[in-house]
């Protein structure tokens, strides 16, 4: 990770869970990390923790609504002015809403598409343009996907969410191909965790918190640090190595 010291990373959805763990880990490794989310107060607390821990990097909180393109474009413009641009983009933000295909609300489907697919694509595009402008040829875009991007569970509440994650799988490979055609050495990787103990399931089952709690108690889940470690592993790979996708499950997870 030495070559990333002092360089700039963007982590979306950095206020809680996987995003917060990734942001903290990159700061620990000496990077300047712009952590964005709607709840910027949580990132400010995390930034203070990083300072108190004596980490060599810096966490810069930025308030951004990833369902609004103008918010994202303003964020990239601000990063350009304040920090020249970004070298690493971690597309972590995502959400699951219980909206089945036969009875779900269109508004819920749109919200998932806006954050899980459109925001990820906008941030990937703008990250590439930032790298290209500054002739950065060793940058990295990492999409936090999920096992739902590789199989369909027998759970109606997850079917539309699963479609957005299949989109992430396709977008990651499409981006890899376009980067190769552009004759650049910028890399793109998808990380696909199985069941991780985060707030996502509690939000998914907000009307039934007992169901969420039971899900996490059923097996020993992945922890957010496991995904942060996978990000560090990907970034630590030699520049000639393209890691396409990391699929990781709890040992006890069947599907």
């Amino acid at each position: 990770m030495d070559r990333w010291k002092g360089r700039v990373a963007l982590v979306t959805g950095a206020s809680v869970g996987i995003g917060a763990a990734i942001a903290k880990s990159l700061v620990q490794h000496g990077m300047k990390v712009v952590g964005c989310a709607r709840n910027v107060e949580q990132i400010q607390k995390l930034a203070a923790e990083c300072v108190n821990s004596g980490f060599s990097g810096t966490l810069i909180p930025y308030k951004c609504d990833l369902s609004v393109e103008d918010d994202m474009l303003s964020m990239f413009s601000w990063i350009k002015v304040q920090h020249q641009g970004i070298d690493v983009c971690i597309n972590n933000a995502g959400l699951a809403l219980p909206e089945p295909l036969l009875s779900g609300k269109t508004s819920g489907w749109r919200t998932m598409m806006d954050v899980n697919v459109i925001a990820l694509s906008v941030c990937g595009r703008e990250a590439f343009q930032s790298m290209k402008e500054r002739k950065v040829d060793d940058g990295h875009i990492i999409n936090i996907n999920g096992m739902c991007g590789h199989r369909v569970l027998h759970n109606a509440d997850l079917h539309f969410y699963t479609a957005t994650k299949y989109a992430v799988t396709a977008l990651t490979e499409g981006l890899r191909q376009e980067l190769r055609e552009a004759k650049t050495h910028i890399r793109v990787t998808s990380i696909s965790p199985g069941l991780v103990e985060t707030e996502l399931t509690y939000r998914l089952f907000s009307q039934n918190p007992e169901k969420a709690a039971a899900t996490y108690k059923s097996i020993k889940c992945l922890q957010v640090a496991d995904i942060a470690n996978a990000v560090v592993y990907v970034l630590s790979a030699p520049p000639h190595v393209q890691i396409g996708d990391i699929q990781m499950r709890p040992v006890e997870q069947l599907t």
Side-chain angles (χ1 to χ4, degrees):
M1 288 291 287
D2 285 350
R3 71 188 181 93
W4 295 114
K5 285 182 179 175
R7 298 180 72 179
V8 181
L10 170 66
V11 180
T12 67
S15 59
V16 292
I18 293 171
I22 293 170
K24 185 177 179 180
S25 179
L26 297 184
V27 171
Q28 195 169 0
H29 283 89
M31 296 193 75
K32 293 179 186 175
V33 179
V34 176
C36 79
R38 286 180 298 182
N39 184 358
V40 77
E41 291 80 13
Q42 288 290 100
I43 308 176
Q44 289 167 342
K45 289 178 185 175
L46 183 60
E49 287 177 26
C50 290
V51 171
N52 293 337
S53 298
F55 294 161
S56 57
T58 310
L59 177 56
I60 303 127
Y62 190 95
K63 187 178 179 67
C64 181
D65 185 342
L66 292 167
S67 65
V68 179
E69 184 175 11
D70 284 348
D71 265 26
M72 290 184 278
L73 298 180
S74 294
M75 175 176 65
F76 276 91
S77 296
W78 180 85
I79 293 171
K80 181 178 180 179
V81 171
Q82 297 295 323
H83 305 286
Q84 287 72 59
I86 68 169
D87 306 297
V88 172
C89 177
I90 313 288
N91 280 312
N92 163 75
L95 77 162
L97 300 173
E99 303 290 359
L101 300 178
L102 297 183
S103 59
K105 294 189 293 293
T106 306
S107 59
W109 296 343
R110 283 206 181 96
T111 298
M112 285 186 274
M113 285 296 293
D114 283 345
V115 176
N116 298 2
V117 179
I118 302 297
L120 175 141
S121 300
V122 170
C123 288
R125 179 190 70 200
E126 297 303 312
F128 170 70
Q129 294 299 331
S130 173
M131 295 172 198
K132 183 181 175 184
E133 269 181 18
R134 294 172 297 121
K135 296 182 169 55
V136 169
D137 196 45
D138 66 341
H140 211 130
I141 298 167
I142 299 177
N143 295 329
I144 304 302
N145 193 353
M147 287 307 301
C148 279
H150 303 279
R151 84 290 192 249
V152 181
L153 291 176
H154 186 63
N155 183 336
D157 285 341
L158 288 173
H159 287 160
F160 196 91
Y161 168 76
T162 296
T164 69
K165 289 303 183 179
Y166 264 78
V168 172
T169 300
L171 290 166
T172 303
E173 174 58 16
L175 185 54
R176 185 194 70 80
Q177 293 180 17
E178 291 189 27
L179 289 169
R180 296 295 74 78
E181 289 169 2
K183 307 298 183 189
T184 173
H185 292 91
I186 295 167
R187 295 177 291 178
V188 59
T189 301
S190 168
I191 296 177
S192 300
L195 192 59
V196 188
E197 193 166 350
T198 67
E199 76 295 335
L200 184 141
T201 300
Y202 284 100
R203 290 177 180 171
L204 176 64
F205 300 122
S206 59
Q207 304 301 315
N208 187 358
E210 293 81 13
K211 186 173 182 180
T215 300
Y216 289 137
K217 287 178 182 175
S218 62
I219 60 172
K220 182 172 177 54
C221 301
L222 296 176
Q223 301 299 305
V224 293
D226 298 321
I227 289 75
N229 289 340
V231 168
V232 170
Y233 170 76
V234 166
L235 291 174
S236 301
H240 69 284
V241 176
Q242 166 73 62
I243 299 173
D245 181 63
I246 294 179
Q247 295 183 28
M248 49 196 300
R249 293 179 174 91
V251 170
E252 298 172 66
Q253 184 174 340
L254 181 62
T255 57

PDB file of all heavy atoms in Angstrom, residues 47-60:
ATOM      1  N   ALA A  47     -13.836  10.769  11.406  1.00  0.00           N
ATOM      2  CA  ALA A  47     -12.625  11.543  11.115  1.00  0.00           C
ATOM      3  C   ALA A  47     -11.893  11.886  12.405  1.00  0.00           C
ATOM      4  O   ALA A  47     -10.652  11.807  12.484  1.00  0.00           O
ATOM      5  CB  ALA A  47     -12.981  12.806  10.342  1.00  0.00           C
ATOM      6  N   ALA A  48     -12.652  12.268  13.440  1.00  0.00           N
ATOM      7  CA  ALA A  48     -12.051  12.584  14.742  1.00  0.00           C
ATOM      8  C   ALA A  48     -11.398  11.348  15.348  1.00  0.00           C
ATOM      9  O   ALA A  48     -10.303  11.426  15.935  1.00  0.00           O
ATOM     10  CB  ALA A  48     -13.112  13.150  15.688  1.00  0.00           C
ATOM     11  N   GLU A  49     -12.054  10.182  15.192  1.00  0.00           N
ATOM     12  CA  GLU A  49     -11.474   8.928  15.684  1.00  0.00           C
ATOM     13  C   GLU A  49     -10.143   8.636  15.007  1.00  0.00           C
ATOM     14  O   GLU A  49      -9.186   8.190  15.650  1.00  0.00           O
ATOM     15  CB  GLU A  49     -12.435   7.758  15.430  1.00  0.00           C
ATOM     16  CG  GLU A  49     -13.656   7.724  16.322  1.00  0.00           C
ATOM     17  CD  GLU A  49     -14.594   6.576  15.939  1.00  0.00           C
ATOM     18  OE1 GLU A  49     -14.113   5.570  15.368  1.00  0.00           O
ATOM     19  OE2 GLU A  49     -15.803   6.692  16.193  1.00  0.00           O
ATOM     20  N   CYS A  50     -10.085   8.887  13.696  1.00  0.00           N
ATOM     21  CA  CYS A  50      -8.850   8.643  12.946  1.00  0.00           C
ATOM     22  C   CYS A  50      -7.723   9.547  13.444  1.00  0.00           C
ATOM     23  O   CYS A  50      -6.569   9.113  13.571  1.00  0.00           O
ATOM     24  CB  CYS A  50      -9.091   8.867  11.453  1.00  0.00           C
ATOM     25  SG  CYS A  50     -10.144   7.628  10.669  1.00  0.00           S
ATOM     26  N   VAL A  51      -8.044  10.801  13.732  1.00  0.00           N
ATOM     27  CA  VAL A  51      -7.044  11.743  14.260  1.00  0.00           C
ATOM     28  C   VAL A  51      -6.568  11.273  15.627  1.00  0.00           C
ATOM     29  O   VAL A  51      -5.359  11.214  15.914  1.00  0.00           O
ATOM     30  CB  VAL A  51      -7.633  13.174  14.355  1.00  0.00           C
ATOM     31  CG1 VAL A  51      -6.666  14.091  15.108  1.00  0.00           C
ATOM     32  CG2 VAL A  51      -7.917  13.730  12.966  1.00  0.00           C
ATOM     33  N   ASN A  52      -7.512  10.909  16.493  1.00  0.00           N
ATOM     34  CA  ASN A  52      -7.164  10.466  17.845  1.00  0.00           C
ATOM     35  C   ASN A  52      -6.343   9.181  17.843  1.00  0.00           C
ATOM     36  O   ASN A  52      -5.562   8.934  18.763  1.00  0.00           O
ATOM     37  CB  ASN A  52      -8.434  10.263  18.679  1.00  0.00           C
ATOM     38  CG  ASN A  52      -9.162  11.563  18.955  1.00  0.00           C
ATOM     39  OD1 ASN A  52      -8.560  12.636  18.916  1.00  0.00           O
ATOM     40  ND2 ASN A  52     -10.468  11.486  19.208  1.00  0.00           N
ATOM     41  N   SER A  53      -6.539   8.367  16.794  1.00  0.00           N
ATOM     42  CA  SER A  53      -5.773   7.116  16.687  1.00  0.00           C
ATOM     43  C   SER A  53      -4.385   7.331  16.100  1.00  0.00           C
ATOM     44  O   SER A  53      -3.587   6.394  16.040  1.00  0.00           O
ATOM     45  CB  SER A  53      -6.546   6.111  15.819  1.00  0.00           C
ATOM     46  OG  SER A  53      -7.788   5.777  16.405  1.00  0.00           O
ATOM     47  N   GLY A  54      -4.114   8.542  15.633  1.00  0.00           N
ATOM     48  CA  GLY A  54      -2.795   8.852  15.083  1.00  0.00           C
ATOM     49  C   GLY A  54      -2.547   8.285  13.698  1.00  0.00           C
ATOM     50  O   GLY A  54      -1.391   8.084  13.312  1.00  0.00           O
ATOM     51  N   PHE A  55      -3.619   8.034  12.946  1.00  0.00           N
ATOM     52  CA  PHE A  55      -3.445   7.497  11.597  1.00  0.00           C
ATOM     53  C   PHE A  55      -2.728   8.524  10.712  1.00  0.00           C
ATOM     54  O   PHE A  55      -2.918   9.733  10.864  1.00  0.00           O
ATOM     55  CB  PHE A  55      -4.798   7.136  10.973  1.00  0.00           C
ATOM     56  CG  PHE A  55      -5.504   6.001  11.668  1.00  0.00           C
ATOM     57  CD1 PHE A  55      -6.874   5.803  11.496  1.00  0.00           C
ATOM     58  CD2 PHE A  55      -4.815   5.109  12.479  1.00  0.00           C
ATOM     59  CE1 PHE A  55      -7.531   4.746  12.123  1.00  0.00           C
ATOM     60  CE2 PHE A  55      -5.460   4.052  13.115  1.00  0.00           C
ATOM     61  CZ  PHE A  55      -6.821   3.881  12.938  1.00  0.00           C
ATOM     62  N   SER A  56      -1.947   8.028   9.761  1.00  0.00           N
ATOM     63  CA  SER A  56      -1.123   8.923   8.944  1.00  0.00           C
ATOM     64  C   SER A  56      -1.895   9.620   7.832  1.00  0.00           C
ATOM     65  O   SER A  56      -1.435  10.612   7.279  1.00  0.00           O
ATOM     66  CB  SER A  56       0.054   8.150   8.345  1.00  0.00           C
ATOM     67  OG  SER A  56      -0.407   7.033   7.578  1.00  0.00           O
ATOM     68  N   GLY A  57      -3.068   9.108   7.499  1.00  0.00           N
ATOM     69  CA  GLY A  57      -3.875   9.735   6.463  1.00  0.00           C
ATOM     70  C   GLY A  57      -4.899  10.696   7.046  1.00  0.00           C
ATOM     71  O   GLY A  57      -4.860  11.035   8.237  1.00  0.00           O
ATOM     72  N   THR A  58      -5.827  11.130   6.187  1.00  0.00           N
ATOM     73  CA  THR A  58      -6.841  12.097   6.594  1.00  0.00           C
ATOM     74  C   THR A  58      -8.192  11.685   6.037  1.00  0.00           C
ATOM     75  O   THR A  58      -8.284  11.262   4.882  1.00  0.00           O
ATOM     76  CB  THR A  58      -6.517  13.508   6.038  1.00  0.00           C
ATOM     77  OG1 THR A  58      -5.161  13.830   6.336  1.00  0.00           O
ATOM     78  CG2 THR A  58      -7.436  14.556   6.631  1.00  0.00           C
ATOM     79  N   LEU A  59      -9.240  11.827   6.848  1.00  0.00           N
ATOM     80  CA  LEU A  59     -10.602  11.593   6.379  1.00  0.00           C
ATOM     81  C   LEU A  59     -11.313  12.930   6.257  1.00  0.00           C
ATOM     82  O   LEU A  59     -11.404  13.688   7.228  1.00  0.00           O
ATOM     83  CB  LEU A  59     -11.362  10.670   7.345  1.00  0.00           C
ATOM     84  CG  LEU A  59     -12.835  10.392   7.002  1.00  0.00           C
ATOM     85  CD1 LEU A  59     -12.985   9.810   5.599  1.00  0.00           C
ATOM     86  CD2 LEU A  59     -13.462   9.448   8.037  1.00  0.00           C
ATOM     87  N   ILE A  60     -11.791  13.231   5.050  1.00  0.00           N
ATOM     88  CA  ILE A  60     -12.456  14.495   4.760  1.00  0.00           C
ATOM     89  C   ILE A  60     -13.934  14.218   4.529  1.00  0.00           C
ATOM     90  O   ILE A  60     -14.311  13.600   3.529  1.00  0.00           O
ATOM     91  CB  ILE A  60     -11.844  15.171   3.523  1.00  0.00           C
ATOM     92  CG1 ILE A  60     -10.341  15.381   3.711  1.00  0.00           C
ATOM     93  CG2 ILE A  60     -12.538  16.489   3.210  1.00  0.00           C
ATOM     94  CD1 ILE A  60      -9.496  14.831   2.608  1.00  0.00           C
TER      95      ILE A  60
END
